[in-house]
Amino acid sequence: MSARSRDLPRRSCLSTPGSNERFLAKAPTVTADMTFLDLEDSVAPLEKEAARAKVVDAIRNLPWDDRVLCVRINAWDTQWTYGDVIEVVGHAGERLDEVMLPKVQSAAEVVALDLLLSQVEEVHGLPVGHIGIEAQIETTRGLINVEEICAASPRLETIIFGPADFAASMEMPVLTGGVQIPEYPGDHFNYVFSKILMAGRANGLQVIDGPYLYVRDNEGLRDFAQRTRVLGYDGKWALTPDQAAVLNEVYSPTQEQFDRAWKILDAYRKATEEDRAGAVMFGDEMIDEASRKMATKFVVRGERAGLTRSPAQAD
Ligand code: GLV
Ligand code: MG
């Protein structure tokens, strides 16, 4: 299901308001791994319905490369969800990879979207299961149910944290979501990040962090993005082209890490296959089967980011 986009990188996920033709026209020129055309919170209620046709037109006619292409529809607690799916998925054609469902509260909401997508795909001659789902966790109930949500449909490709809505749902005394809170001694979202990451990984999903709202502070973004990169997230939302450039770098392994991962794989293969040893020294450290698993993750992530092994390493 949703075969094309499932394993593509999502280091940078560019948010583009679906009602703004200028931003829509620019979106394919921005170097981002994934782009989502938004019908939800960046579109004013009075523009919601008109934005659907603009988004369809953009998907069908703009020169998208092979990036992941997604539409964020409105949440099930609004009047727009079914119309968004019928109008946009029904007319966008095969280039649309995924639909993003915001403010997911329960597994049933994902199942409902999955069923609706199947009907729309059938009516419009798309392969059933073609459209993937990205689910946003941005309410307290959504976080409580995240494990069931991540297992709710084979269409799911990613699970995403929405820090701004989540801060509101928690009634945190902040006015900007998804940024550092200097008064808090530590990372106020560490539990949330870890819980979503574990639920996503347990179900084979990519795991994505949400927006950083200080859009002029790229160094602040770089610094803040490190916390989910280090935990293991695949990427983060970008609100501007500059943010996308920072994130493409932050969420890629360095060449040095990539080369070292390959060296570990080589050393471990030689140890197990030629020397029949399960654990060997690699420089100053002992490596074993768990090291192979860690190194493999780096290699997969590096290859997704377009890295190749340095020639000196490939002997
Ligand atoms: C994103 O949708 C957020 O609420 O942070
Ligand atoms: Mg939100």
Side-chain angles (χ1 to χ4, degrees), residues 40-41 72 102-103 136 138 162-166 211 237:
E40 203 223 14
D41 282 356
R72 180 165 72 162
K103 302 182 179 66
Q136 273 190 285
E138 38 186 1
D165 273 305
F166 190 78
W237 280 15

Side-chain angles (χ1 to χ4, degrees), residues 15-307:
S15 170
T16 307
S19 53
N20 186 315
E21 277 136 331
R22 193 166 57 83
F23 285 140
L24 287 170
K26 183 155 188 215
T29 70
V30 177
T31 307
D33 287 339
M34 180 270 201
T35 297
F36 69 92
L37 311 182
D38 191 23
L39 296 172
E40 203 223 14
D41 282 356
S42 69
V43 175
L46 294 175
E47 288 295 320
K48 294 265 187 208
E49 286 175 23
R52 292 172 183 157
K54 294 182 187 176
V55 163
V56 168
D57 184 56
I59 295 167
R60 296 192 77 93
N61 298 315
L62 293 177
W64 301 105
D65 49 22
D66 60 1
R67 76 187 62 198
V68 181
L69 191 54
C70 180
V71 171
R72 180 165 72 162
I73 59 175
N74 287 281
W76 278 120
D77 62 356
T78 69
Q79 60 183 284
W80 295 294
T81 322
Y82 82 99
D84 289 345
V85 174
I86 288 163
E87 300 273 322
V88 176
V89 179
H91 299 106
E94 290 211 18
R95 182 60 186 85
L96 179 64
D97 293 308
E98 312 174 311
V99 164
M100 186 189 299
L101 185 62
K103 302 182 179 66
V104 178
Q105 309 252 38
S106 67
E109 295 190 8
V110 176
V111 174
L113 177 60
D114 181 331
L115 294 171
L116 182 58
L117 284 169
S118 294
Q119 293 192 357
V120 175
E121 285 166 338
E122 202 163 335
V123 168
H124 291 275
L126 294 165
V128 172
H130 174 74
I131 302 286
I133 297 178
E134 301 218 357
Q136 273 190 285
I137 298 298
E138 38 186 1
T139 63
T140 49
R141 181 134 323 269
L143 188 69
I144 288 167
N145 292 329
V146 67
E147 290 161 27
E148 292 79 27
I149 289 169
C150 286
S153 162
R155 290 182 190 266
L156 278 164
E157 300 189 28
T158 72
I159 189 84
I160 307 163
F161 178 48
D165 273 305
F166 190 78
S169 175
M170 288 282 279
E171 301 185 25
M172 292 173 73
V174 294
L175 291 172
T176 310
V179 298
Q180 193 115 24
I181 300 180
E183 299 85 352
Y184 189 84
D187 181 349
H188 58 289
F189 278 150
N190 182 266
Y191 169 74
V192 180
F193 286 144
S194 299
K195 187 170 162 89
I196 293 175
L197 181 63
M198 282 190 270
R201 291 290 186 242
N203 290 283
L205 306 185
Q206 289 199 38
V207 184
I208 310 294
D209 189 13
Y212 181 79
L213 299 166
Y214 293 139
V215 288
R216 296 199 177 91
D217 181 6
N218 287 326
E219 283 319 301
L221 168 68
R222 183 184 297 278
D223 184 53
F224 199 76
Q226 293 296 348
R227 63 194 66 201
T228 51
R229 182 197 75 89
V230 166
L231 286 176
Y233 276 55
D234 295 284
K236 183 168 172 65
W237 280 15
L239 302 177
T240 67
D242 286 349
Q243 284 200 340
V246 169
L247 298 176
N248 288 340
E249 204 186 307
V250 170
Y251 288 93
S252 300
T254 63
Q255 186 69 47
E256 196 186 334
Q257 289 169 326
F258 185 72
D259 288 337
R260 181 175 168 81
W262 267 115
K263 276 182 157 179
I264 290 173
L265 292 181
D266 286 349
Y268 182 71
R269 190 192 46 73
K270 180 175 176 309
T272 50
E273 290 177 16
E274 294 176 24
D275 308 335
R276 295 180 169 234
V280 284
M281 287 306 286
F282 177 77
D284 289 339
E285 77 180 272
M286 178 80 80
I287 59 169
D288 65 6
E289 173 61 19
S291 315
R292 185 193 64 75
K293 290 194 178 110
M294 289 188 284
T296 303
K297 300 288 176 197
F298 263 98
V299 166
V300 169
R301 191 174 286 226
E303 285 178 347
R304 265 188 197 156
L307 291 180

